[in-house]
Structures are given as C-alpha cells and as structure tokens.
C-alpha cells in the first residue's frame, strides 16, 4: 500500500492529448511524495473511460458542463 503522502498533479505546461483515430486520451501527470516531484507519467484512458471520469469529477464538484451544438464531449480536445 502506498503511503498517504503520495499524490499526482497534472503537468501544468503540457496539454491533454486525444486521438480521434484510436479514442485514446492521455493526461500528463507528475508523481509526488509529499511536495517532492518523483517523476512524470501519462494516464492513458479510452475515450469512454475519460468521459466517465470527467463526468464523475464534475458531478462530485457540483459543476454543470454545457455541451455546445456540434460538440461531442472529449472529441473536441486535441
């Protein structure tokens, strides 16, 4: 089991990447031990997994995410 002081944060200068061909979504993360960076890793999800995660987080935070006509969720992310 990992100690409770281990956590991750999104790498600030790197955008989320999504592939229209495969549906793969990559979220660039940095791993931390307390406040000390330990390394970088990409969280790789299918489009469906990413949409579920995004929706679940938005709901947990009480956010409403509008979908504009012609948009289909994460497909607009490049």
């Amino acid at each position: 089991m990992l100690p409770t002081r281990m956590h991750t944060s999104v790498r600030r200068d790197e955008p989320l990447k999504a592939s229209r061909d495969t549906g793969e979504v990559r979220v660039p993360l940095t791993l931390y031990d307390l406040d000390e960076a330990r390394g970088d890793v990409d969280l790789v999800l299918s489009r469906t997994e990413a949409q579920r995660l995004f929706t679940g987080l938005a709901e947990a935070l009480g956010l409403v995410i509008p979908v504009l006509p012609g948009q289909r969720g994460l497909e607009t992310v490049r």
Side-chain angles (χ1 to χ4, degrees):
M1 179 182 277
L2 292 175
T4 56
R5 63 188 201 178
M6 300 291 287
H7 67 279
T8 63
S9 291
V10 175
R11 291 195 302 262
R12 293 183 179 165
D13 296 330
E14 294 189 41
L16 174 87
K17 298 174 188 167
S19 169
R20 288 182 184 264
D21 298 331
T22 65
E24 177 182 274
V25 177
R26 290 180 170 268
V27 182
L29 300 174
T30 298
L31 304 174
Y32 288 90
D33 180 1
L34 197 52
D35 289 332
E36 186 176 335
R38 293 295 185 165
D40 293 334
V41 66
D42 286 349
L43 173 62
V44 181
L45 304 164
S46 71
R47 181 179 292 129
T48 302
E49 291 169 328
Q51 287 174 327
R52 277 192 213 132
L53 177 61
F54 181 78
T55 301
L57 291 171
E59 288 175 355
L61 295 170
L63 302 175
V64 177
I65 309 299
V67 177
L68 302 174
Q71 275 188 331
R72 291 184 2 177
L74 292 173
E75 289 184 16
T76 60
V77 176
R78 296 189 203 293

